[in-house]
Amino acid sequence: MRAACGQFSRPTHETWQHGGVTAATHSSSFPGGPASADSADAVLLGLDPEQREVATTLRGPVCVLAGAGTGKTRAITHRIAYGVRSGQLMPASVLAVTFTNRAAGEMRGRLRTLGAGGVQARTFHSAALRQLQYFWPKAVGGEVPRLLERKIQFVAEAGARCRIRLDRNELRDVTGEIEWAKVTQTVPADYPVAALKSGREAPRDLAEIAQIYGTYEQLKRDRGMIDFEDVLLLTVGILQDRHDIAEQIRTQYQHFVVDEYQDVSPLQQRLLDLWLGERDSLCVVGDASQTIYSFTGATPDHLLNFRTRYPQATVVKLVRDYRSTPQVVHLANGLLNQAKGRAAEHRLELISQRETGPDPVYAEYADEPAEAEGVARRIRDLIAAGVPAGEIAVLYRINAQSEVYEQALADAGVPYQLRGAERFFERQEVQKAILALRGAARSGGNDPLLDDVVELGSQVRAVLSSTGWSTEPPAGSGAVRDQWESLAALVRLAEDFARSRPGATLADLTIELEERKAAQHAPTVQGVTLASLHAAKGLEWDAVFLVGLTDGMIPITYAKTDEQVEEERRLLYVGVTRARIHLNLSWAVSRAPGGRASRRPSRFLNGLRPGSAAPGATAGSAAERGVRGRVRRGPVLCRVCGKTLTEAGELKLMRCEDCPSDMDEGLYERLRDWRAAQSKEQGLPAYCVFTDKTLMAIAEAAPAEEGELSMISGVGGRKLDRYGADVLAICAGQEVAAGHPDDA
């Protein structure tokens, strides 16, 4: 909708704030309003000002920087629909591409509802495959090569021809390396150098992988087959060599929309460039802070360089978060405020549009089983309070962490479903290990593996050493590491069983394992979701439990470089932003009951969880000290009655809710007046400056120095830099000049 002067007309506050904008995934397509349901303007009703700008900017390059939960899919589908309904875009001339079939299907469904059903919405591979099948006879001639659905068998044969034996997990990892090489347009001969330069944690010698890669490619050629990466490579090759075919595609598709643009690989970007030609009718949508797939070749560089490539581009930032409560958004922003690197420089400060909700709950447990049982109890309480089981998720860093939560939920009578992974007892390495344990139990003293081994835990370790377990984990990530983690979980389970059942035998353990397997609930769509953080991307739940948040798990131990560590931080950010209302973060200081409490909470939570020092503070410094001048360790106690505090609100105040407050009422009111001025000056809700609880905590503590102020929950490093001087001046009884703190 444009005004007569050619400028975009701005909606009234009532149009978007009260006319239907809700959580992005739950909003109606056409909120009620005066426009006809058949008019183009009906598509714009219910959009907020930034979404509306996206929808009405139909020409030239457009870059939409969209934070988590800000309604990016809504914005771009309404953009396409508005262009179609207003007659500015022909449906058949638009190609919208995304990264998963689920996302493409959702986009097609929304477009049909909005009256733009003729628009093509596909994945990169799907769009390229259609073009390849259509143009192959003209460009190459003959039959289109058959598509290889699963390349792992060909990789196995290639390894055998090279006289390199690969086990099942190495096959998966070598296949992943080949896929990475192809999407980064790296040929076999160049793979070793490229892998070294990129810091790849390869499962085999780089020269061996290059040899297998080259043989794999030859096998496909000999048998007239192509894989999914070839679909993109061959389409790129045809469009580069046959300008007539490229022009035919460019005549068909004149407008492009790319979702999740931070995840494009160099090969996908090359294909997009060929689709575009010299034109710039491109709209990209992405968030560099959600780049978590760099190990597959994805890179946010194309998103971050968009303004450099297209200096005239319109850039729209979507920061109004319709998914999560202010409390969840506050934590998400706090995580990114501590981030470093290029992606961090382009982070988006989200502003929640939802009603206030409960504070995130932080919980420390003595050991992993206690953590799982505590999570299961909390989930059971939520279900009893009316939260559907299907609206609850437990998210962890690696799939091997699932077993203890599967068991805890089963013991608590809570149904669950695993997403993106096999159930623990259905994993091939686990089944193989149980068979080996059962065989050893039957042979008794005749098994040479058990010679001179008496203690049950040692017996299990000896048996599993023949199936791939070792005392030290393998370097790097991938299938080999996943296999080791599964076997290590069995070793821990056996040790715990032996501790609880002195004198237990291998036969007793195998019976226990069979009972555990039989007791698990079958997956059901109504169950609590168990998923890795990677598998949770693009999803959301009312309640999210982020578990196992210790250093060494997130960031994972093999994240060595600064960029790898920052990707781990982004992974945790993705986990936090999956939660709509309830967010629980937990960790265990020991692996097993009675073990040494040597683990530490994830460094990413420093300065965010109650009682923790901001990043960079040195041990024993003022920044680590509480307002009473002592280093905080162990449980946080109420400073009035001495009771252990567990609730987030109480931890913020450092006292029980019902204990008497020594707050300086006058100081509290001065802080509120200052916050109101800052809120007005910056155009932000007051809670985005400081929440009421944080102001109360400041007024009660009356900090006299920066170190004391930094220890108050809700005063992170960025807010300390931004507002610290003002707050300390107010606490000292000084007058503070009006204006933005950054203007000084």
Side-chain angles (χ1 to χ4, degrees):
M1 187 167 64
R2 296 178 182 271
C5 63
Q7 299 296 315
F8 300 119
S9 59
R10 294 290 183 184
T12 63
H13 180 74
E14 290 77 10
T15 302
W16 65 271
Q17 186 68 31
H18 302 291
V21 167
T22 55
T25 55
H26 298 287
S27 57
S28 61
S29 299
F30 293 102
S36 165
D38 294 328
S39 72
D41 287 349
V43 177
L44 304 179
L45 293 176
L47 300 182
D48 68 30
E50 294 78 26
Q51 292 172 342
R52 188 183 180 97
E53 184 175 1
V54 173
T56 54
T57 307
L58 297 173
R59 301 296 175 185
V62 178
C63 180
V64 183
L65 302 176
T70 57
K72 64 180 180 64
T73 305
R74 178 183 176 86
I76 58 176
T77 52
H78 283 242
R79 177 184 188 269
I80 295 169
Y82 178 73
V84 170
R85 298 275 286 269
S86 65
Q88 299 180 64
L89 301 178
M90 294 295 293
S93 72
V94 180
L95 177 59
V97 289
T98 187
F99 283 81
T100 66
N101 290 322
R102 181 183 61 81
E106 179 186 352
M107 192 177 293
R108 286 193 295 270
R110 292 197 189 197
L111 289 169
R112 280 194 300 271
T113 303
L114 292 167
V119 173
Q120 291 291 315
R122 297 184 173 276
T123 65
F124 271 102
H125 284 90
S126 173
L129 182 59
R130 286 193 65 184
Q131 294 172 13
L132 190 66
Q133 290 171 333
Y134 184 82
F135 290 109
W136 184 271
K138 180 178 180 180
V140 182
E143 291 287 327
V144 180
R146 289 179 297 138
L147 186 62
L148 182 63
E149 297 286 350
R150 294 183 71 251
K151 59 173 68 71
I152 198 164
Q153 293 174 341
F154 270 45
V155 175
E157 185 175 345
R161 289 197 176 192
C162 297
R163 300 182 184 276
I164 300 171
R165 184 177 178 182
L166 302 172
D167 65 28
R168 183 178 67 93
N169 294 287
E170 287 177 323
L171 273 175
R172 280 173 47 193
D173 290 344
V174 170
T175 300
E177 286 301 295
I178 292 174
E179 290 172 349
W180 172 82
K182 298 184 76 165
V183 300
T184 55
Q185 303 175 83
T186 303
V187 298
D190 295 339
Y191 168 78
V193 173
L196 279 173
K197 185 177 180 181
S198 300
R200 304 288 294 179
E201 290 280 357
R204 297 290 296 241
D205 178 78
L206 298 180
E208 288 183 335
I209 295 176
Q211 186 182 3
I212 295 170
Y213 177 14
T215 305
Y216 165 80
E217 291 296 306
Q218 186 61 51
L219 275 174
K220 288 195 288 91
R221 286 193 294 269
D222 291 346
R223 298 177 188 178
M225 302 193 77
I226 59 175
D227 60 26
F228 279 100
E229 290 72 40
D230 291 329
V231 170
L232 301 183
L233 285 163
L234 290 169
T235 305
V236 164
I238 288 174
L239 297 184
Q240 286 179 159
D241 295 341
R242 292 292 300 268
H243 298 291
D244 57 328
I245 293 176
E247 286 305 316
Q248 190 173 343
I249 290 177
R250 292 166 191 162
T251 301
Q252 168 72 48
Y253 296 118
Q254 300 174 19
H255 308 281
F256 295 86
V257 177
V258 184
D259 194 12
E260 303 287 5
Y261 193 55
Q262 78 278 354
D263 287 335
V264 295
S265 68
L267 179 56
Q268 289 164 333
Q269 180 62 47
R270 180 61 185 141
L271 178 59
L272 179 62
D273 290 341
L274 289 165
W275 282 342
L276 276 166
E278 299 300 319
R279 300 164 302 172
D280 62 3
S281 186
L282 171 65
C283 175
V284 300
V285 188
D287 178 10
S289 296
Q290 295 188 67
T291 304
I292 60 173
Y293 293 110
S294 65
F295 61 91
T296 67
T299 170
D301 289 347
H302 306 297
L303 175 67
L304 299 178
N305 294 337
F306 197 81
R307 282 292 298 273
T308 302
R309 184 171 186 178
Y310 299 105
Q312 76 280 22
T314 299
V315 178
V316 183
K317 295 182 179 181
L318 302 183
V319 296
R320 303 178 197 265
D321 188 322
Y322 298 98
R323 175 187 298 159
S324 304
T325 64
Q327 287 74 16
V328 173
V329 167
H330 178 70
L331 175 57
N333 286 336
L335 273 174
L336 291 190
N337 287 344
Q338 299 176 2
K340 303 178 181 67
R342 191 174 180 217
E345 294 171 2
H346 297 265
R347 61 181 174 265
L348 300 168
E349 188 90 8
L350 299 178
I351 304 173
S352 175
Q353 305 297 299
R354 294 193 60 150
E355 294 292 326
T356 187
D359 286 329
V361 175
Y362 297 85
E364 182 174 285
Y365 294 90
D367 51 67
E368 289 180 1
E371 181 181 6
E373 291 166 8
V375 167
R377 284 195 301 272
R378 174 65 176 150
I379 288 174
R380 193 170 53 189
D381 292 343
L382 285 174
I383 293 173
V387 180
E391 286 295 345
I392 302 173
V394 178
L395 306 181
Y396 34 76
R397 176 61 180 84
I398 60 174
N399 289 327
Q401 292 173 272
S402 73
E403 190 272 337
V404 68
Y405 293 95
E406 294 177 52
Q407 187 61 46
L409 290 173
D411 291 344
V414 176
Y416 65 88
Q417 57 176 330
L418 276 171
R419 181 180 181 87
E422 299 168 290
R423 291 165 60 88
F424 181 81
F425 285 105
E426 293 173 359
R427 296 171 191 165
Q428 186 171 336
E429 62 268 22
V430 173
Q431 292 178 341
K432 181 180 177 183
I434 292 175
L435 283 173
L437 290 170
R438 188 182 300 131
R442 287 173 179 166
S443 64
N446 297 321
D447 192 325
L449 287 171
L450 303 183
D451 288 348
D452 302 321
V453 181
V454 178
E455 189 264 328
L456 178 59
S458 299
Q459 290 179 336
V460 170
R461 289 191 290 271
V463 173
L464 295 190
S465 65
S466 68
T467 67
W469 181 82
S470 59
T471 55
E472 293 297 324
S477 58
V480 173
R481 177 71 181 224
D482 287 346
Q483 178 196 36
W484 184 90
E485 294 285 359
S486 295
L487 296 178
L490 278 178
V491 171
R492 294 194 297 268
L493 189 153
E495 291 171 344
D496 295 342
F497 181 69
R499 191 178 297 110
S500 64
R501 294 268 303 273
T505 65
L506 265 180
D508 296 328
L509 176 63
T510 59
I511 293 172
E512 170 72 9
L513 292 173
E514 290 301 326
E515 290 177 349
R516 283 174 174 257
K517 180 178 179 180
Q520 290 179 351
H521 290 251
T524 166
V525 295
Q526 295 302 316
V528 172
T529 297
L530 297 179
S532 70
L533 289 165
H534 281 102
K537 178 74 166 65
L539 304 174
E540 59 187 79
W541 296 269
D542 284 346
V544 168
F545 290 78
L546 301 176
V547 300
L549 302 182
T550 59
D551 258 359
M553 189 56 72
I554 186 156
I556 199 101
T557 50
Y558 50 76
K560 302 296 186 184
T561 67
D562 289 344
E563 178 49 40
Q564 288 170 341
V565 170
E566 286 305 314
E567 182 149 335
E568 293 286 302
R569 189 195 307 274
R570 295 194 294 269
L571 191 57
L572 182 56
Y573 172 79
V574 166
V576 167
T577 55
R578 299 311 95 194
R580 298 190 193 108
I581 304 169
H582 304 280
L583 180 61
N584 295 259
L585 305 95
S586 63
W587 58 92
V589 295
S590 174
R591 178 188 59 76
R596 189 164 62 92
S598 58
R599 292 177 172 179
R600 298 191 177 193
S602 170
R603 71 191 75 166
F604 298 146
L605 300 179
N606 290 346
L608 301 174
R609 61 182 176 85
S612 64
T618 57
S621 69
E624 278 191 319
R625 298 178 185 276
V627 295
R628 303 173 92 176
R630 57 189 174 87
V631 177
R632 292 182 183 160
R633 300 184 189 278
V636 180
L637 306 180
C638 172
R639 55 190 170 82
V640 179
C641 70
K643 177 183 174 183
T644 299
L645 303 177
T646 58
E647 296 298 324
E650 295 178 339
L651 289 165
K652 188 182 287 284
L653 295 174
M654 294 297 293
R655 63 172 174 81
C656 302
E657 288 280 6
D658 52 0
C659 279
S661 169
D662 55 358
M663 182 176 69
D664 183 332
E665 296 287 350
L667 174 56
Y668 180 65
E669 290 304 318
R670 292 196 300 277
L671 288 168
R672 283 177 59 88
D673 290 344
W674 167 84
R675 182 182 66 174
Q678 292 295 330
S679 172
K680 182 178 180 181
E681 177 75 21
Q682 299 173 52
L684 295 173
Y687 62 77
C688 288
V689 181
F690 285 120
T691 64
D692 287 345
K693 277 274 172 55
T694 300
L695 289 188
M696 289 176 65
I698 294 172
E700 290 187 359
E705 60 178 36
E706 189 174 277
E708 294 177 353
L709 179 58
S710 73
M711 285 307 302
I712 296 174
S713 179
V715 184
R718 190 175 183 196
K719 290 194 175 183
L720 188 66
D721 292 341
R722 188 168 187 146
Y723 304 122
D726 278 7
V727 171
L728 290 173
I730 294 169
C731 290
Q734 301 171 10
E735 292 294 326
V736 175
H740 194 287
D742 288 347
D743 293 339

